[in-house]
Amino acid sequence: MDAPTPTKHGRPRKTATPKRAPGRPAAADNPDLRARLLDAAIACYVRHGIAATSLRAIATEAGVNPALLHYYFGDKQQLQDAVSSERLVPVFLSLRDGLMGEGKDVFDLIGGFVAGIGRIVALHPWLPSLWVREVLCEGGALRESVLFQQIGPVLPRMMAKRFAQAQAEGRINADLDPRLLMVSLIGLTLFPAASAPIWRHMFDADDLDLEAQRRHALALLDRGLTP
């Protein structure tokens, strides 16, 4: 350890403590903090909606100073973009990647989608509520940026195209519209998950878990898909 530098009067001078860069909060060195801030943002978005959620509310949820949010994300819009690009979109891209194979049978494709939604809902319980509030509802903050620009071109359109091809080959019911079949799949997976607290309370149905929902959806689809 370096010895203190003597002053002109013989008294030792204290070694200067390294200073943080201006504007850098001390807690910013925590490597897990960014993930915690994104989790807090999602929790507030689900509870109050994106439009009604302030950076201060997210900071309170995370138990940090609002300056940390500004340090990591800049402003409210940049934080919203980070939630979309780092949390929401990757979930659907992982689902798409598991469904891609060109040789996959159309019934395997549909079964894989239903099972995949169940899997990601189990891993990310916040997803159905955020999807309904901010993507499906009119005025949702994520509809344009997430659904139309990012998810729509890579998943629903791909699946609708595969449904149309299978229908042309006589493999699924000719009365179905391939585009509405995609809508039906969403209605049989994300909607029941988002509304689960309502119908579980209404029917005293705590036994109807995600696996029961999957079996029910596939049973309905099996009868409706067969030519």
Side-chain angles (χ1 to χ4, degrees):
M1 182 175 178
D2 295 338
T5 303
T7 63
K8 289 190 302 182
H9 302 289
R11 289 178 298 177
R13 179 186 300 146
K14 292 182 180 179
T15 303
T17 302
K19 294 183 179 180
R20 292 182 288 109
R24 178 181 174 83
D29 294 324
N30 184 343
D32 299 323
L33 184 56
R34 181 184 176 86
R36 197 170 101 216
L37 295 175
L38 290 173
D39 289 340
I42 290 172
C44 291
Y45 291 170
V46 169
R47 192 181 306 129
H48 305 296
I50 291 177
T53 297
S54 65
L55 289 180
R56 182 169 295 278
I58 295 171
T60 300
E61 178 77 18
V64 301
N65 190 296
L68 278 171
L69 285 168
H70 289 286
Y71 174 77
Y72 276 106
F73 303 105
D75 58 23
K76 181 176 178 178
Q77 182 61 51
Q78 289 174 299
L79 173 58
Q80 177 185 318
D81 293 342
V83 169
S84 297
S85 62
E86 297 179 34
R87 292 299 175 87
L88 187 58
V89 173
V91 167
F92 285 95
L93 293 182
S94 69
L95 176 61
R96 177 208 61 181
D97 292 344
L99 299 173
M100 284 300 286
E102 284 295 329
K104 190 181 288 291
D105 180 86
V106 69
F107 292 95
D108 291 338
L109 179 67
I110 291 170
F113 179 87
V114 174
I117 290 293
R119 183 171 59 253
I120 64 177
V121 168
L123 290 172
H124 310 287
W126 49 265
L127 177 65
S129 296
L130 185 65
W131 181 261
V132 170
R133 180 192 284 271
E134 300 297 346
V135 175
L136 297 185
C137 287
E138 188 68 31
L142 302 177
R143 176 181 291 189
E144 182 66 32
S145 61
V146 173
L147 179 61
F148 292 149
Q149 296 180 14
Q150 299 183 72
I151 295 174
V154 300
L155 185 58
R157 292 179 188 172
M158 178 272 289
M159 292 188 67
K161 183 178 179 180
R162 294 288 301 278
F163 298 156
Q165 179 182 351
Q167 191 178 53
E169 295 169 353
R171 304 185 64 204
I172 62 175
N173 193 334
D175 293 332
L176 296 173
D177 185 302
R179 298 160 297 181
L180 291 178
L181 177 53
M182 189 65 230
V183 177
S184 296
L185 285 176
I186 296 293
L188 287 169
T189 53
L190 279 177
F191 281 173
S195 59
I198 296 173
W199 53 259
R200 280 181 179 148
H201 176 75
M202 184 180 297
F203 298 114
D204 191 21
D206 289 338
D207 58 308
L208 295 180
D209 56 12
L210 289 170
E211 175 58 23
Q213 294 174 52
R214 184 190 69 83
R215 292 195 304 267
H216 173 79
L218 291 177
L220 281 175
L221 289 165
D222 183 55
R223 297 297 180 89
L225 288 170
T226 306

